[in-house]
Amino acid sequence: EATVGGNLELHSAGCVGTVKLSGARIRGDLDANSAMFVGRRADGENRTLALDAMDLHVGQSFLFGRGAFTRGDVNLLRARIDGDLGLYRFKASRRSDDPASESSLREFILDLGWASVKGNLVLEANDIAGAIRLAHAEVRVLCDTSTGYARDGEVIDLSGFRYEALLHPSMNPLNGDSAACVSARLKWLSRMPAHDPQPYMWLSRMLARDGRVDEARDVFIEKQNRDRRQKFAEIQRGAISLRLPRLTILLCSQLFHWLFGDGLKPVNALMTLFFAAVLGAGVFWYANTQKLLVVDQQPVAASVSETRIGALASTDIVDNIWCGRNIDPIIYAIDIFVPLIDFRQESQCRVGAANGATRLATFPQVFGVVSVDVQVAALKYFKAAYSIAGWILVSLAIITFSGTLQRRLE
C-alpha cells in the first residue's frame, strides 16, 4: 500500500515476476507504455499474475499500451483511475501450462471488475488471449473498437458495466452505418458468459441519448428476444403445473414481437394491419361469391309470416336475399375489423345462406331449432373472432404508432 506523491514511470520497463501495486496510491500518472511484465506462478497458486493492482488508486491517468506486453493475468479489480485508462496496442497472454488457461471456468486475464475510470477507457487494437471482466465497472467515456477486446471466442463479462457516453457507437471510428453499429454491439454483448438484461438496457439508453434511436430500438428488441429464450428455458425446467400459463404469456409476448416489433416498429404494425385487412377482404369476398352473405333486413321494414321475418316476394316471405353488390368486401372487412368507425357496410349484410348457396354439409339439428350449414357456422365464428382481433390489433397498433413504449429506451 505504497504512496507515490508524483508520477510513477514504468515506461519500457521489463519485470519478471508479479508487479505488485495492490492498494497503492499514485497521485500523478502511471505510465507503463511499452512495458513487459512476465509473471511467475507462486507455489500453491492456480494462476499467474503479471500485474496485481487490486484497489490501486491513480490520481491522473494510467497508460498501459503502445506495445505493452504481459505474460500472465492483470488484476485491476476495484481500481480507481481519476483520469484516463489507456489500453492501446496492448498484448496479454498466458503460458501454455498455466492452470488458468486449462480451467473450464477460466480466470480473467484482464480484470477490471468494479473499477472506476473518471476519464476515458480506451480499448483499441489489442491482442488479449483470455477472458475480460468489466462487471460493475464505471467509466465516463468508453472509447473502444471491435479489436480492443479479447480474441474471438473469449468471454467478456459486462454485467453491471456502466458508461456515460460512447465515443464510437459503431465500435469503428470510420464506420457509422446503422446496421454495422447494431451488429458490432450485439456481437459484443453476446460474448457475456450468461445473459444479463442490464448491459442491453444500458447500451440502448446510451444510443438513444446519442440520437441513434433506431439502433437503440434494435438493441432493446434483441434484449427482449434473449429474455424470452431465457424464460422458455426456465419454463422447461419448472414444474409441469406452471408451464401452461407461463407458456401462454410467453407466446403472447412472442406474437407481440412478430407483429409489432415489441411495440417499437411502426412498419411491423402497418404490415400487420395490412395483412389482416387482406385476409378479411379475401374471406368475405369468397363468402359473398358463394352466397354466404345475405341482406340484413330490419324488422320494421319487413313482412312477418309465423316465425319468419323478411321481404315479401310475390306471396312468399324471402329472408335470404343474396348480398351481392350491396357491399364491397374490402370496406366490409375494414368495417368489422376497425372498432368505433362505421362505414355502414356491416349493417348491410349478415352471414347466412342465400338461395343458390353451395352447401357442402350441414350440422344435425341443435335443440330442434334449425339446421346450420358448416360454411355459415364457420364464417360466423370467423367474423366474431375477426372483430375481436380488430379491437386488440388496432389498439396495439395505436400504442406502437404513438411511441408510448419507445419511452422505455429514454
Side-chain angles (χ1 to χ4, degrees), residues 355-388:
N355 287 331
T358 302
R359 295 176 179 268
L360 298 181
T362 58
F363 287 124
Q365 289 273 327
V366 179
F367 303 115
V369 178
V370 64
S371 295
V372 183
D373 185 87
V374 172
Q375 293 182 91
V376 171
L379 190 59
K380 285 181 178 179
Y381 283 113
F382 174 82
K383 183 180 177 182
Y386 191 67
S387 179
I388 295 171

Side-chain angles (χ1 to χ4, degrees), residues 312-332:
L312 185 62
S314 299
T315 58
D316 191 18
I317 294 292
V318 179
D319 59 356
N320 56 353
I321 300 174
W322 178 39
C323 202
R325 295 185 179 181
N326 288 320
I327 62 164
D328 180 281
I330 298 176
I331 302 177
Y332 186 80

Side-chain angles (χ1 to χ4, degrees), residues 19 26 50 85 135 150 165 173 180 195 211 255 259 262 316 356 370 402:
V19 177
I26 301 168
L85 174 56
H195 173 63
L255 287 173
L259 301 178
D262 292 303
D316 191 18
V370 64
S402 67

Side-chain angles (χ1 to χ4, degrees), residues 214-227:
D214 291 340
E215 292 91 330
R217 176 201 63 205
D218 292 342
V219 171
F220 179 79
I221 290 174
E222 179 63 21
K223 170 205 165 289
Q224 296 291 84
N225 285 335
R226 289 182 176 271
D227 284 349

Side-chain angles (χ1 to χ4, degrees), residues 168-181:
H168 306 312
S170 64
M171 299 188 77
N172 186 337
L174 302 178
N175 190 350
D177 178 70
S178 173
C181 171

Side-chain angles (χ1 to χ4, degrees), residues 14-18 36-40 48-50 69-72 95:
C15 302
V16 177
T18 301
M36 179 181 293
F37 299 159
V38 179
R40 284 185 177 175
T48 301
L49 279 173
F69 170 79
T70 62
R71 177 64 61 82
R95 294 173 58 92

